[in-house]
Amino acid sequence: MAVSLSLTVNGKPVTASVEARTLLVDFLREHLNLTGTHVGCDTAQCGACTVHLDGKAVKACNLLALQAQGSKVVTIEGVSPADGSLHPMQAAFREHHGLQCGFCTPGMVMSAIDFVGANPAPNETQVREALDGNLCRCTGYHNIVQSVIAGAKAMRGTP
Amino acid sequence: MYAFNYHKASSLADAAAKLGAAADGKLLAGGQTLIAAMKLRLAAPSDLVDLAAIGELRGIKVDGSSLTIGAMTTHAAVAASDDVRGKIPALAHLAEGIGDRMVRNAGTLGGSVANNDPAADYPAALVGLGATVVTQKRRIAADDFFRGMYETALETGEIITGVSFPIPKRAGYVKFPNPASRYAIVGVFVAEGSAGVRVAVTGAGPSVFRVPAMEKALSASFSADALKSVSVDASALNGDMHASAEYRAHLVSVIARRAVEQALGR
């Protein structure tokens, strides 16, 4: 059953015909070639597929594309300014070495941006709790947590 | 995933009509359990009827001595609501502990309640607070609603519109979560309200259940110490790779005491 789907992705209107069973993450990756959003576990556990749906972080492997009908979706490709520079949270991950292989990073960054929007000055415990739904299998979470704290600081504009 | 038909309902009546017309239809709320279950083919409905566009199913309102939450209200919205935090802080705390941040942004109260997972958090709150499940047809007391593992009193075509929670004098919810899934290995909701003391346990048995011996002890003295001499029979509890039935029975006592302490601390 193909259904017409219209939504906004990274600020651009998109209209497509999709099968009802198409997951949001597959729509983004396969139809729009936005492959920055990753599929890790495909069971809503690892968080590598995290995107923003109407401003809130969600797991795109656990939603149908049609559930985003009429909504605004932002992926990792959509967070940086048009000049190609990094979003402050991305820059903080680079600066603090908050990644190793990088597979989980898009999800980590998308979760962190959403979380910091609600909690502009989080402490370490709060960051660890907020990243509960994002798994990194390379390393400990220490540098990731430091990155989010630094990214939060940069986002609120304090040195 | 296998193919199915998708419908977006514009109203409750439209949802009921579309569900009724489907060969084997299911309602789609936040989809945080259903989509995963469909991928695994644990559920294989012919049609999904999406409730997301029905505005009247969202929202939180305080009405005298009760708090009513729309079925399509997300866990994140419940956790962040000033009304919930002010009137039933234990309920906001419970919502804040469901799954993870992203799941809470999508998953809904009605979806969780209708699914009645034996380890879900919300059933403990509904039974612990003596809440009422409201459908488009009737009002069902929580005690009568949860019938067994993944079983509820909902009839074919019946749609949950919201849940009405009586505002208690005090309440607490503590869970011992599975470290991977955050589902409750044992979760206990304790509340003292106008209808007396209620103790509801999730995660430990096939479905949420009350512990009358604990309710009696807490009615006499609402303190953690009052539960010292109350033990829970392990014979009807779940045992699995995460915890044996005996361990869960022990946890119910420990977690219930912590829930009482939390209720007293608020």
Side-chain angles (χ1 to χ4, degrees), chain A residues 1 20-21 23 42-44 47 50 56-59 61-64 66-67 69 111 114-115 118 130 132-134, chain B residues 1-8 28-33 35-36 39 48 50 99-103 105-106 182:
Chain A
M1 178 188 180
R21 59 181 160 178
L23 297 170
D42 199 17
T43 53
T50 301
K56 291 184 163 61
V58 294
K59 291 180 169 175
C61 82
N62 208 31
L63 290 170
L64 301 174
L66 289 170
Q67 288 179 276
Q69 183 81 262
S111 276
D114 171 52
F115 164 63
D132 195 28
N134 293 87
Chain B
M1 206 191 298
Y2 71 94
F4 55 86
N5 301 311
Y6 171 93
H7 315 271
K8 194 154 199 169
L28 175 64
Q32 296 305 284
T33 300
I35 304 285
K39 284 192 207 173
L48 287 187
D50 191 343
D100 58 52
R101 194 176 169 80
M102 291 79 95
V103 167
N105 277 336
R182 304 293 174 196

Side-chain angles (χ1 to χ4, degrees), chain B residues 3 8-9 21 42 51 74-75 79 104 134 139 164 166 233:
Chain B
K8 194 154 199 169
L42 294 171
L51 300 174
T74 63
H75 309 322
R104 292 193 290 273
V134 184
R139 298 170 66 86
S164 179
D233 181 13

Side-chain angles (χ1 to χ4, degrees), chain A residues 35-40 46-52 57-60 74-77 79 89-90 93 98 102-115 130-136 144 148, chain B residues 101-102:
Chain A
T35 53
T37 304
H38 291 167
V39 181
C46 80
C49 65
T50 301
V51 300
H52 294 178
V58 294
K59 291 180 169 175
V74 176
T75 70
I76 190 70
E77 290 90 346
V79 300
M89 188 60 74
Q90 291 176 306
F93 269 72
F103 190 88
C104 72
T105 314
M108 289 281 180
V109 170
M110 296 309 285
S111 276
I113 293 172
D114 171 52
F115 164 63
L131 294 180
D132 195 28
N134 293 87
L135 302 182
C136 165
I144 294 170
V148 175
Chain B
R101 194 176 169 80
M102 291 79 95

Side-chain angles (χ1 to χ4, degrees), chain B residues 52 106 177 201 237 251:
Chain B
V201 178
L237 301 188
L251 268 182

